[in-house]
């Protein structure tokens, strides 16, 4: 870290960030997988779509997205007039990387009859190739809504198969819930996919009273053992609305911060200590400050891709 920022103590650093935030008319967004110190300075904390939607509604001129690349792109799609900063440009998403736009284009040629649904964890250029976008919170609803449309109305082209990009585990979860055949893209989140059935059995033995809550990006055999399967928002809501006192959590460990903050009387245990996303932990307070000072790294989406990906996002919002 350069000499502009390393002279600050943590308290001063936070004060300095808040001063620069005001100066830049900025809003700070933190994904729930971010380090606790980042969540604590954020104006909004939540999942990627919620954050981008909140930011789009503010009159801020700058959005500091503390998350990973595809999330900052989503903010750029929804707020083209604002400057979008990702304080660490190397913060990527290995799941999104598994579906490069060129490969998706090739696959589309092979599947002309398929409705293309891309998970929000994908590049803007992949969203632009898609008919619909979805999040883990609304994926089942989106597929149900598409299935209920007459074939001729499914994006006006009579498509009937569904190709889901890029997470095969989430595709499996949607197929089970909707009883629809889904063609999965062979991608997976390396963090969620790390969690094994054996890890879960071990955690359950250690905490027999605890409910097991897992993310649908986990393997099917892990999901089959869960008391609840849901998005980060779903997991947080489940805990708030449930009287149980103990939970085993099968998603990235950043979520423990909001869970503990909102539920001081409840106990949370990781399903596995391995569930830490390195990309999500690349952002720190120094980088947030530096980013506000120099207004870099900025994330932009070319206008043609932005318009097409906005269509897929808007279709999702109209559908649910
Ligand atoms: O949509 C998001 O932010 C992610 C990555 C997961 C979730 O379940 O919220």
């Amino acid at each position: 870290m350069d000499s502009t920022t390393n002279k600050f103590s943590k308290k001063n650093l936070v004060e300095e960030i808040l001063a620069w935030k005001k100066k830049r008319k900025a809003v700070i967004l933190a994904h729930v997988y971010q380090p606790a110190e980042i969540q604590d300075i954020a104006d909004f904390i939540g999942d990627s779509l919620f954050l981008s939607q909140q930011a789009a509604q503010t009159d801020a001129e700058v959005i500091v997205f503390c998350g990973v690349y595809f999330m900052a792109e989503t903010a750029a799609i929804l707020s083209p007039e604002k400057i979008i900063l990702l304080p660490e440009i190397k913060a990527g998403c290995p799941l999104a990387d598994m579906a490069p736009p060129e490969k998706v284009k090739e696959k589309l040629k092979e599947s002309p009859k398929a409705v293309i649904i891309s998970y929000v964890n994908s590049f803007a250029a992949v969203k632009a190739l898609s008919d619909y976008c979805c999040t883990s919170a609304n994926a089942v609803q989106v597929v149900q809504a598409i299935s209920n449309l007459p074939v001729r109305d499914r994006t006006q082209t009579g498509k009937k198969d569904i190709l889901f990009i890029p997470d095969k585990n989430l595709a499996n979860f949607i197929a089970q819930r909707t009883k629809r055949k889904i063609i999965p893209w062979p991608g997976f989140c390396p963090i969620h996919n790390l969690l094994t059935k054996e890890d879960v059995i071990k955690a359950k033995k250690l905490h027999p009273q605890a409910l097991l809550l897992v993310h649908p990006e986990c393997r099917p055999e892990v999901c089959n053992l869960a008391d609840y399967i849901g998005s980060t928002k779903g997991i947080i809501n489940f805990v708030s609305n449930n009287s149980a006192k103990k939970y085993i959590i099968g998603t990235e460990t950043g979520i423990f911060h909001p869970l503990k903050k909102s539920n001081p009387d409840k106990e949370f245990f990781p399903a596995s200590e391995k569930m830490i996303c390195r990309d999500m932990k690349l952002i720190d307070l120094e980088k947030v400050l530096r980013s506000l000072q120099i207004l870099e790294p900025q994330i932009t989406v070319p206008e043609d891709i932005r318009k097409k990906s906005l269509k897929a996002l808007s279709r999702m919002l109209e559908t649910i």
Side-chain angles (χ1 to χ4, degrees), residues 31 33 47-48 70-71 119-121 136 215 217 231-232:
H31 192 270
Y33 295 159
D47 65 31
S48 56
F70 80 81
M71 298 181 179
Y119 185 28
V120 69
N121 296 36
S136 47
H215 195 278
E217 288 173 26
S231 66
T232 54

